[in-house]
């Protein structure tokens, strides 16, 4: 996991995101948003920040994203990051505090609670067992 903060300056955006705000193609735009939020680490970008970057209202972006992917932008970012955390905990010895910081959580307890809700076990118990949790939301291979 790389450490970074959300930097929404035009020069730091993925190439697809630079043109997506000018595109009339909804599908291209929502896929560009997905690509962008997948790459951003640290603090989650707000919908208002994304709306400025992609040239659409926050509501429109969220509605288009949900229509394409079946979940809101925030839910997608959260699920994606928790899956990354699950993998990092299984395959490395990175401190849980560092994992939480990388994902944008200000407190490791908030990270642990979100992780437990998604996977049905705590990050610490996953690390001790080194086997995947049997939580209802675990979908590998995304």
């Amino acid at each position: 996991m790389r450490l970074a903060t959300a930097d929404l300056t035009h020069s730091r955006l993925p190439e697809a995101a630079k043109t997506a705000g000018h595109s009339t193609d909804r599908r291209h735009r929502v896929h560009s948003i997905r690509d962008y939020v997948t790459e951003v680490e640290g603090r989650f970008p707000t919908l208002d920040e994304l709306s400025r970057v992609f040239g659409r209202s926050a509501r429109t972006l969220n509605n288009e994203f949900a229509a394409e992917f079946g979940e809101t932008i925030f839910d997608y970012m959260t699920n994606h990051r928790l899956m990354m955390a699950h993998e990092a905990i299984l395959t490395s010895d990175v401190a849980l505090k560092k994992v939480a910081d990388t994902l944008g959580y200000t407190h490791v307890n908030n990270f642990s609670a979100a992780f437990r809700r998604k996977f049905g076990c705590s990050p610490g118990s996953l690390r001790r067992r080194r086997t995947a949790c049997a939580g209802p939301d675990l979908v590998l291979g995304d």
Side-chain angles (χ1 to χ4, degrees), residues 10 16 20-21 23 31 37-38 42 47 58 68 72 74-76 79 85 89 91 106 108 110-111 118 121-122 126:
H10 190 20
S23 174
H31 282 264
V37 300
T38 299
L47 281 177
E68 182 73 19
T72 66
F74 180 79
D75 288 344
Y76 177 85
N79 288 326
I89 292 166
T91 61
T106 54
V108 72
N110 294 340
F111 163 66
K118 179 152 183 74
C121 69
S122 71
L126 175 64

Side-chain angles (χ1 to χ4, degrees), residues 16-24 28-29 32 51-56:
K18 291 179 185 178
T19 59
H22 306 290
S23 174
T24 57
H28 174 67
R29 182 174 44 256
S32 294
S51 73
R52 283 191 297 277
V53 170
F54 289 93
R56 295 288 190 266

Side-chain angles (χ1 to χ4, degrees), residues 104-122:
Y105 287 91
T106 54
H107 300 287
V108 72
N109 291 346
N110 294 340
F111 163 66
S112 293
F115 192 94
R116 183 184 301 273
R117 275 191 305 275
K118 179 152 183 74
F119 298 113
C121 69
S122 71

Side-chain angles (χ1 to χ4, degrees), residues 63-132:
N63 288 344
E64 289 177 351
F65 193 93
E68 182 73 19
F69 297 111
E71 59 188 342
T72 66
I73 295 169
F74 180 79
D75 288 344
Y76 177 85
M77 286 189 294
T78 300
N79 288 326
H80 175 75
R81 288 180 178 197
L82 288 172
M83 289 301 297
M84 288 175 46
H86 191 276
E87 182 66 21
I89 292 166
L90 278 177
T91 61
S92 75
D93 291 321
V94 174
L96 296 179
K97 170 80 171 114
K98 181 97 163 169
V99 172
D101 287 343
T102 300
L103 298 179
Y105 287 91
T106 54
H107 300 287
V108 72
N109 291 346
N110 294 340
F111 163 66
S112 293
F115 192 94
R116 183 184 301 273
R117 275 191 305 275
K118 179 152 183 74
F119 298 113
C121 69
S122 71
S125 66
L126 175 64
R127 165 118 338 127
R128 285 188 296 278
R129 290 193 330 239
R130 294 286 185 179
T131 60

Side-chain angles (χ1 to χ4, degrees), residues 7-38:
D7 182 356
L8 295 175
T9 60
H10 190 20
S11 64
R12 306 272 300 185
L13 290 175
E15 200 58 41
K18 291 179 185 178
T19 59
H22 306 290
S23 174
T24 57
D25 181 9
R26 179 190 65 82
R27 190 161 194 205
H28 174 67
R29 182 174 44 256
V30 297
H31 282 264
S32 294
I33 293 168
R34 183 198 57 194
D35 294 345
Y36 177 67
V37 300
T38 299

